[in-house]
Amino acid sequence: MKTPIVCVTRQLHFSSAHRLFNQAFSAGKNSEIFGKCNNENGHGHNYTIEVTVRGPVDPETGYVIDLKVLKSVVDELIVDDCDHKHLNFDVPWLTGIIPTAENLVVAFWNRLQPKIIQGKLHAIRLYETERNFVDYFGE
Amino acid sequence: MKTPIVCVTRQLHFSSAHRLFNQAFSAGKNSEIFGKCNNENGHGHNYTIEVTVRGPVDPETGYVIDLKVLKSVVDELIVDDCDHKHLNFDVPWLTGIIPTAENLVVAFWNRLQPKIIQGKLHAIRLYETERNFVDYFGE
Amino acid sequence: MKTPIVCVTRQLHFSSAHRLFNQAFSAGKNSEIFGKCNNENGHGHNYTIEVTVRGPVDPETGYVIDLKVLKSVVDELIVDDCDHKHLNFDVPWLTGIIPTAENLVVAFWNRLQPKIIQGKLHAIRLYETERNFVDYFGE
Amino acid sequence: MKTPIVCVTRQLHFSSAHRLFNQAFSAGKNSEIFGKCNNENGHGHNYTIEVTVRGPVDPETGYVIDLKVLKSVVDELIVDDCDHKHLNFDVPWLTGIIPTAENLVVAFWNRLQPKIIQGKLHAIRLYETERNFVDYFGE
Amino acid sequence: MKTPIVCVTRQLHFSSAHRLFNQAFSAGKNSEIFGKCNNENGHGHNYTIEVTVRGPVDPETGYVIDLKVLKSVVDELIVDDCDHKHLNFDVPWLTGIIPTAENLVVAFWNRLQPKIIQGKLHAIRLYETERNFVDYFGE
Amino acid sequence: MKTPIVCVTRQLHFSSAHRLFNQAFSAGKNSEIFGKCNNENGHGHNYTIEVTVRGPVDPETGYVIDLKVLKSVVDELIVDDCDHKHLNFDVPWLTGIIPTAENLVVAFWNRLQPKIIQGKLHAIRLYETERNFVDYFGE
């Protein structure tokens, strides 16, 4: 019997401040493009991140990857650095990035992807609010 | 470095009445096929719609498409017409359609798709209730 | 040791159409007071009802009231009559009532209260949407 | 028949940055008391606010208070001022307040209470996250 | 100005097995009273517990009680003992209790109440599922 | 006009106990691999299952498959057997399977797939908790 290929997902949370702002733009253009997200003192969100790993189910354990292990990798590489921080100022590996959900999800992928060695990183979904979210598949 | 391709999603809500009914069927067949959804005076739902656009992240803005813009397009083309309406009677562009979730999601796609010009419309998910939902990818 | 007094709650769902309309008002006044809720063909919601019974915990069963029993009472008296119906036309015991959430919750209380004989009916919460809900305590 | 007394609730959302910090404390004491909430550049949340008004149901409208009216009052007095803002710097009527959920909910009450003239303001619940929330009843 | 009195709530989660069973009952009576909850090998739930403390807001910190402290008390006294355990066999302080939601919430109250010394324990809500929950106020 | 291809999903719930344990492993290795999920008396979850069927929309009914029919198939083949049961002992067709979410979702697929004859079974998502879930596409 062939080994089934399953996607497993772990959801985590962090709360951060951010400001949408491109220093190459004038104040007027920043305001026009980013609207209320451009507020000088920033605003913030409860972010929800869902990390999906795809791979064969190990017949001895019934796991693709132990979700406790996946959680601890995401905590160490992402949540511990971003939680209760200002994403424009406090996270060295986000320096120079406009912290839109799109740019964040790509930065998270680039940071996590090399460290997922049981199965392969398949997708990351990032919720900025319940109503706004993004998905990245490494393309 | 290549430009990443990201999917961005906006969730919106509307509340409508509808009745499942095919005028080509007899009353008995309508009742048999549609069950309690065939109630003559209709029933209703809090619909949730999730519209997903896929495309490259603009390096200047960090956006695939500004989700405020996407929201306003969906509000104008769908929510304003359907919210607090009876889907069998009050929405001209749904005339002649049995308003199942399947038919609604296809009608929404056909209406939205030509108006999404930054990125491409990738998916629409429509929840009739938390327990029943449909996805359409334009196939 | 005294018998503890606990509140137990069961949540149920139903989907209905309704229209806010007072036949004593002119068309203009109905429109002014009820806005888009006055749409002639009605609209609808996925209602969520939470019924709370308060009473002593039976030491032999550990129950205030068996929640399966409470569920079946609410199904029989409320959900079976309201689900997939138009609340203005299809429910005899709602005749003559403007089906606002406030009036519905009071009607549900009056119908349920005499049938709860193990513990006492303590509260009913009715969600019209996630964002709009009402609570009634029999006052 | 007596007029029933019902509680009606409207839920709204806003996204803000904040920092917990008492300028009368040393840096060390601020860090000890507020922990990661004391991060110098702030962090943020998607706040959810639920405003409850209690009163008699108007027999002509079936409303305690029109929830669309309640929503517009809360939008005008609270959400428009707090959404996409930094609560320590951008909201004049929060100046000098440590923006804990407790202090915010009391400030919101004091601002809303005089403007609720149909029914009485009964409760405000403020969620900082799904896991942390506070309730205030004006006591 | 008087010190406001606020209720603060922390939500936590644990996953446990349980079986409803009264050893003073015959097998037939156990089956009749507890139905499918009486399954000999047990079943289980993702429990959600919400612990509410009521008290004055400390003017120096803006806290009733630091929710991080409240979380660690509930983790230590309840979650660490109940999570990933069988409530009929593995928790010494639940011995001899039929683990209905009602009996659990009272046992949790009795265990937590003496350890809440900043503010007073006001309420515990325990969700067995999203559809079934209980509230206890120490009565 | 071509017939659109839509995915329709029905969500259902069941509550079960389970224990992660490989009888080929020593007690020490079981404990090391499965951690607290290896608790001898088991633990449990409120599982949520989402079954997705993909196919053409029938022009006469507007359905891919009647979701009431899909629900009754999943109830009969999965929920009735697993709800309020211990997955290691009480479900004949799970005998010999370590009941991880990965193995469960594959077993559910193998059981459901031959019985879906209107449209094709496309995906099953199984939530063990809100934070841990798996997806299987029959690969």
Side-chain angles (χ1 to χ4, degrees), chain F residues 16-115:
Chain F
S16 313
H18 77 154
R19 181 196 183 193
L20 300 190
F21 170 78
N22 182 337
Q23 57 186 357
F25 291 171
S26 66
K29 186 165 183 189
N30 268 304
S31 174
E32 180 199 326
I33 299 284
F34 295 117
K36 62 185 182 177
C37 300
N38 184 239
N39 179 55
E40 190 172 349
N41 291 309
H43 64 287
H45 296 293
N46 302 323
Y47 289 93
T48 296
I49 180 173
E50 293 180 350
V51 177
T52 301
V53 172
R54 182 177 179 278
V57 180
D58 181 324
E60 286 211 317
T61 63
Y63 284 157
V64 170
I65 178 178
D66 184 343
L67 285 175
K68 291 185 293 295
V69 171
L70 180 58
K71 176 186 187 301
S72 70
V73 172
V74 181
D75 269 334
E76 187 190 335
L77 291 176
I78 294 178
V79 174
D80 291 351
D81 282 1
C82 294
D83 188 35
H84 282 72
K85 295 290 166 56
H86 195 303
L87 302 177
N88 298 60
F89 303 125
D90 297 331
V91 185
W93 44 273
L94 292 175
T95 300
I97 291 174
I98 305 171
T100 59
E102 289 92 326
N103 281 341
L104 291 175
V105 81
V106 173
F108 295 167
W109 178 282
N110 291 338
R111 197 162 161 79
L112 273 179
Q113 190 272 336
K115 302 300 170 68

Side-chain angles (χ1 to χ4, degrees), chain A residues 71-128:
Chain A
K71 175 185 187 303
S72 69
V73 172
V74 182
D75 269 333
E76 187 190 335
L77 291 176
I78 295 177
V79 174
D80 290 352
D81 282 1
C82 294
D83 189 33
H84 283 71
K85 296 289 168 56
H86 195 302
L87 301 177
N88 299 60
F89 304 123
D90 298 330
V91 185
W93 45 272
L94 292 175
T95 300
I97 291 175
I98 304 171
T100 59
E102 290 92 327
N103 281 342
L104 291 175
V105 79
V106 173
F108 295 167
W109 177 283
N110 291 337
R111 200 163 158 78
L112 273 179
Q113 191 272 335
K115 303 298 170 70
I116 305 296
I117 54 181
Q118 193 174 1
K120 285 194 178 168
L121 183 60
H122 175 68
I124 305 181
R125 174 172 285 194
L126 181 68
Y127 290 84
E128 211 173 63

